[in-house]
Structure formats: structure tokens, C-alpha cells
Amino acid sequence: MSAHEVKGWCPGALRPMRSGDGLVVRVRPFGGRLRRAQADGIATLAAAHGNGLLDLSSRGNLQIRGVTDTSLPHLIEGLRAMGLIDPSEEVESRRNILVTPFWAPGDGTEGLVSALTDALSTPDAPALPGKFGFAIDTQRSPALQNASADIRLERDAQGGLILVAEGMLTGKPVTQQTAVAEAMALADWFTRAGGGARRMSALIATGTVPKGHDTPRQAGNAAPVPGPVPAGVLVGFAFGQMRVETLAGLAKHGSLRLTPWRLLLVENARDLPDIDGVLIDPADPLLRITACTGAPRCEQALQETRALGRALAPHLGAGATLHISGCTKGCAHPRPAPLTLTGQARGFALIHNGTAADTPIRTGLAPDELKDHI
């Protein structure tokens, strides 16, 4: 497998990441929600200052692609005018907050998000690794347990709030009033316990665990699919990517909540018209294929991925899932997958029940051979 550069941080708006098609500018909506005007404004800005492509990330963020060094200041100015920019790069890098899209007004979620945002913005907030994140998963049954996070707020079986260090099967009981202070104390414990540049689960795996975390967690729900939910309608996109016109079209129907499943929730919507690029059939095989940007848009990718994904979709077995990665980093799906194709200098490696970097059972497979192996 080929070597690659591990950056150890995620892009932001104030710290974009360079890719093969220009700068990637990640917008982190406050509370995981875009008002209609904000969504429409992002579409306009991305058309003017990017290449017209938008990505949904597995951390519930929106990425603007194809930004240039010249257009970046104008893009940031426009995003700041819409209230989508943090006070500083340091605050932005700490504000990795994933919010359940299924919250309801008055259920306490918005208050927790606001308080945690404020706490992470203070000068004395812990210095956390670039990929360290928080999840506010406050519905009756957790929805975000398979999404990337290090410190979680979720419900136990009795409906009480518990604070969970990722990697543990138990958590610490907290209240609406104490939850954020306890979460920040746990983040501080992580830094003092030697977390360093690691993630919480890596620290927990060493046997170092916080005290008082002895309340059992409850099992969470499976990842949702497009369709109606109490808060509106969930819609999907092939590989989590859309054009600016698609975002502008969705913004006409309601405010948007971002998710870690590369779906958008259109608030209070019931029936949506056909919108180009939107997937509404939960059985669509494209929803079961995860693929990174691939070559040539990613400088580290060794193979093109998304055209391949479209070609393979009709051949994917019922209920089967597929991860296609342009290199061994596996950015689009860092965890093990039942079936993974990893780009190599020549062809693809085939991996069963592993990550993009794991040992393959076949190597050097040409694209036209792959349909016989999935």
C-alpha cells in the first residue's frame, strides 16, 4: 500500500486545506443548522468563489471546494457577514460539535449547544487535538454513537443525561445545568492524563479511565435513510456531494440541519419536489457507497473513485455496503467496512471487513474487474 501524508487536523474556514482542485473551506454551522438565508448565501458564495461543488462531511459540516488564494478572503468576508465564522482559528479548531439532527425546540439541546460553544470559545479552554470532537446526542435513544466524537452527551436507559468518554461502555450522570461544565472537565482530564495528539478512545484503551463513569450506556439507533422524520424530511446525495444549485433549491423549502450520515434534514418539510442531485429513495444503492473525492481532486489519491462508484452501484448486492478510497487514509470512512476498495498505483486493492489501510485479499484489480468482486 502506498504512503500518504496524515495531516492530523480537519480543514476549517479560517484554516482551509489545499487539495487537487484548490482550497477546501469547511463551514461549521453553529448548532449544526443553516437558516434558509444562510444556506442560500453559501450557495451563492460557493458559486462565485469556488468551483460550484459542495461536500457534506462525516462530522456534520459543509465543505466548499475549488476556492483559490485570491477568492478566499472574499468568501470568508461573505461567510462572516452571515454569522458563520468563529472569532479566531483557535476557537474554530476547538468547536468540533456534532449535534443530533432530531432535536426539538424546548428539549434542551439548543441550550447545551450554546453553552458548549461558549465554553470552547474561552481563552482557558483546553488545548485539544485537531480532530477531537464533542457529540450532543440528546434524544431518547442515541443516534450518533457510530459518528466520530470523543466526548458525548447522551441519554441512559432511564432517560437521564450521561457524559461519555469515547471508548467506554458507561458514562457519568449529569444534569442540564452541569453537563457542559462536566464535559469541559473531562476534556481537561484528557489533556492532563496524557491524551496529547491522540483521540479519547486511544487513551481509554490504555486502561486510563475517568472516575465516576459507571452508569451503563444504552444501545443507539442504526444510521437513518432518506425519508420523513418528525422534524422534517431527510434527503441524501451520491457520495455526500452536491452542486450549489441543489443547495439553493433545498433552501427554498426550509432551514437545513446537517448530519454525520451525509444527509440533510429539511426542517418541517413533508413532500419535496424533484430536485436535481437529491436522493429520496432509501433503496438507492448510491446511498450504500462511501467514496472520497479521489483523483484528481485529491492530491494524495492514486485512483478516481466517484465515477467508479456510480459504475459499480447497479452491481452492489441488496443491503451490501461499499467503501471506495483513493488511498490508504480512508478519509471518507476511517472505520472498518464490510467491503473496501483502495486505490493503488496500478488498480485497486480489495479488503474484506477492514479499513482502507488493512491487508487486502486481492491487489492490482482493474476498474472493469471490480463488479465481479462486490
Side-chain angles (χ1 to χ4, degrees), residues 311-338:
L312 293 178
H315 305 282
L316 192 63
T321 59
L322 172 64
H323 172 210
I324 307 175
S325 182
C327 75
T328 57
K329 286 177 69 176
C331 295
H333 190 86
R335 299 187 180 192

Side-chain angles (χ1 to χ4, degrees), residues 10 18 20 48 54 69 136 152 163 187 210 236 254 259 267 279 307 313 364 372:
C10 294
R18 195 167 299 278
L54 301 165
D69 293 313
I136 297 182
R152 302 175 182 274
L163 180 68
T259 81
E267 284 186 5
L279 304 180
D372 298 324

Side-chain angles (χ1 to χ4, degrees), residues 78 165 247 277 286 334 348:
L247 182 64
L286 282 171
F348 284 84

